[in-house]
Amino acid sequence: MSNKSSELSSHALSAREAVAVVMILTFALDIRVLPLFATQPAGHAGWLAVLLQFGYMLFFFHIFYKFLISFSGQNFAQIAKTIWGRTLGFFVVFSYILWLLLILSFNINMFGARLSHSQYPGQNKAMLIAIFVVFAVIVVRSGIVPIARMTRLCFFMLVTIFIILIVLWLPSFRWENFMPVTYLDLPNAGLSSLKVLYTGAFSVLILVLSDKIASLKNIRRIGFKSITLLSGLKVCVVLAAIGILGPQLISRIPFTLNTMINSIAFSSSLERIDSFLGVLFTVAEFMFIAIVSFCFLHLIRSLFGLDRMAPYLILLALSLFFGGNYIGNTFFALHELEEAFIYPLSLVMGFVIPLLLYVTGKIRRVVQ
Amino acid sequence: MKWGILIGLWLALLVYFVWECFQFLPRGEKKELWVFGGWLFLVGILISVNIHSSAADPRFAELFLRLFY
């Protein structure tokens, strides 16, 4: 019995680890896009958008929880095939594989762009992408459990650092930047809340990892608490961005948080805090790439019923490197691609399709 | 020059595929070999497109935006 439980613990995620994995996916993207997406088109009422998306996230996490308990120990391919049949289920899961490949290529390029913009100016972006890819594949090879344990530590550090940052940003606030907020701002805040929801679309990957979760005990409570904590932090970050930079300037700066961090000059010992924070942001982005890469491989494995994934790691590395290089040259084009295509596609994959699966599952009485 | 690199690339991919055949087939993993071969082919196309494009050529993002917007 003790051997079996130790096997499970080394090859399966606990509820906290599964939730931490999902939260870091959201947070890693928020580092790059949150202030920008929250203020378009809500402007100075962008923090209201984050409050609205908090409600959506609770609702959708509840739906994911229902899938987890109804299909305990089954992977996402089995869930889709059970609810929608073998053929449609196959195409749905295949579309998720293509979506994840697009997301990986896009985000690897954007992370390389952020590094070459902030910490390594003039550095060849392709080399930064190559380093990211090599380390991601090495980490993916070890499995999801070590990744999840690293993620828990990273998530805790990120939350702590952001709380400290918010306190350090307070002297730089200009309160007139986000006042007044009236009922007239609500429609724009509603539109912005859909944009902010984009980063939460990756919480659907908890269904991809559903067969890797050992125990679902308290996962809903842990998930709700984590979403509440993260949303509170996001409201504070957006308030800080609007308070320090103002909504007009946010739309003109590619990496808002980097600029905000440079505004901190509390004492001479904290003036170079941007270097340390840059490392932390890079770790979060790296965890995003590693987790999504694992989910990508896991989806392929579950869709085609494969046993070994080791032979496919080289193909994964080549796909990520050349996909990341080919997806775009200029930051402007990538930003437009994200606004025009990736963001609506992610909303569909992350929320619309799971909602349709849930409704169909309820009608067919296979979902609790 | 570029055509030489492309031919070399596809030869290298073919050699890699043949090598992997000797890993998969003794274990009876035919389905895995098909998946591997299909993915390798798509990766070959992706690498070929990368090699063939020069720095000034539009990439996926620019092409997509031109087509649909």
Side-chain angles (χ1 to χ4, degrees), chain A residues 244-256:
Chain A
I244 294 172
L245 298 173
Q248 287 81 19
L249 194 55
I250 289 170
S251 61
R252 287 163 174 78
I253 300 173
F255 302 109
T256 314

Side-chain angles (χ1 to χ4, degrees), chain A residues 42-335:
Chain A
H44 62 281
W47 56 276
L48 270 180
V50 182
L51 281 179
L52 289 170
Q53 72 86 38
F54 167 62
Y56 304 147
M57 284 302 301
L58 288 180
F59 171 69
F60 281 104
F61 193 83
H62 176 75
I63 289 181
F64 298 151
Y65 167 72
K66 289 294 188 185
F67 278 121
L68 290 173
I69 56 168
S70 306
F71 299 95
S72 176
Q74 294 186 47
N75 57 52
F76 184 63
Q78 289 168 315
I79 295 172
K81 285 178 182 175
T82 303
I83 296 177
W84 276 348
R86 286 177 62 93
T87 312
L88 187 56
F90 179 90
F91 282 110
V92 166
V93 177
F94 193 75
S95 65
Y96 270 84
I97 290 171
L98 294 177
W99 170 58
L100 288 184
L101 183 60
L102 177 67
I103 292 295
L104 279 168
S105 303
F106 178 82
N107 280 290
I108 278 180
N109 194 308
M110 280 300 228
F111 295 154
R114 190 189 69 77
L115 282 176
S116 65
H117 174 87
S118 58
Q119 288 170 290
Y120 303 104
Q123 189 61 267
N124 187 351
K125 195 166 69 170
M127 198 179 83
L128 294 168
I129 291 174
I131 293 170
F132 246 117
V133 165
V134 165
F135 280 107
V137 167
I138 290 171
V139 167
V140 163
R141 194 168 179 267
S142 64
I144 190 63
V145 175
I147 296 174
R149 287 179 186 161
M150 280 170 62
T151 300
R152 271 187 81 178
L153 184 61
C154 180
F155 185 59
F156 171 75
M157 282 171 62
L158 273 172
V159 167
T160 309
I161 290 294
F162 266 89
I163 291 171
I164 295 170
L165 275 178
I166 287 161
V167 171
L168 291 175
W169 277 326
L170 281 173
S172 308
F173 267 40
R174 294 200 301 273
W175 301 93
E176 62 273 13
N177 279 357
F178 43 73
M179 292 296 176
V181 174
T182 69
Y183 68 95
L184 296 169
D185 295 309
L186 280 175
N188 283 336
L191 288 172
S192 287
S193 67
L194 290 177
K195 295 194 86 170
V196 175
L197 200 56
Y198 155 61
T199 60
F202 298 95
S203 51
V204 74
L205 297 182
I206 200 170
L207 297 182
V208 174
L209 299 172
S210 57
D211 58 334
K212 294 286 187 184
I213 302 174
S215 165
L216 296 172
K217 193 179 170 191
N218 297 325
I219 195 168
R220 184 166 58 173
R221 183 177 60 84
I222 294 166
F224 282 2
K225 277 169 71 173
S226 301
I227 290 169
T228 307
L229 170 68
L230 206 57
S231 295
L233 212 57
K234 282 157 78 163
V235 167
C236 294
V237 168
V238 172
L239 278 172
I242 297 170
I244 294 172
L245 298 173
Q248 287 81 19
L249 194 55
I250 289 170
S251 61
R252 287 163 174 78
I253 300 173
F255 302 109
T256 314
L257 276 182
N258 286 78
T259 311
M260 287 165 64
I261 285 159
N262 289 336
S263 73
I264 297 171
F266 186 67
S267 70
S268 58
S269 60
L270 285 176
E271 272 178 3
R272 299 305 298 164
I273 196 172
D274 54 323
S275 304
F276 167 68
L277 290 169
V279 169
L280 204 56
F281 292 169
T282 304
V283 169
E285 290 160 355
F286 173 76
M287 299 314 303
F288 179 94
I289 297 296
I291 293 165
V292 178
S293 299
F294 182 86
C295 292
F296 173 74
L297 273 183
H298 193 58
L299 269 178
I300 291 175
R301 176 193 223 166
S302 55
L303 184 65
F304 295 105
L306 308 175
D307 285 328
R308 298 183 302 130
M309 291 316 295
Y312 304 94
L313 290 173
I314 294 178
L315 294 181
L316 174 69
L318 291 172
S319 304
L320 296 185
F321 178 73
F322 288 101
N325 273 306
Y326 186 66
I327 194 152
N329 255 340
T330 61
F331 177 79
F332 175 74
L334 287 170
H335 178 68

Side-chain angles (χ1 to χ4, degrees), chain B:
Chain B
M1 171 76 171
K2 270 191 184 174
W3 289 110
I5 295 173
L6 286 172
I7 290 168
L9 164 72
W10 283 100
L11 278 173
L13 291 177
L14 183 64
V15 165
Y16 182 37
F17 179 72
V18 168
W19 184 75
E20 282 292 341
C21 284
F22 286 105
Q23 312 301 315
F24 282 114
L25 289 175
R27 297 177 211 240
E29 293 172 338
K30 285 186 185 161
K31 182 175 52 173
E32 283 79 356
L33 186 59
W34 272 105
V35 172
F36 180 86
W39 192 353
L40 188 65
F41 179 71
L42 293 173
V43 165
I45 292 175
L46 182 61
I47 300 175
S48 302
V49 167
N50 262 276
I51 290 172
H52 197 260
S53 316
S54 65
D57 286 336
R59 304 292 165 131
F60 175 82
E62 289 92 344
L63 288 171
F64 182 89
L65 291 167
R66 279 185 203 180
L67 274 173
F68 295 104
Y69 292 93

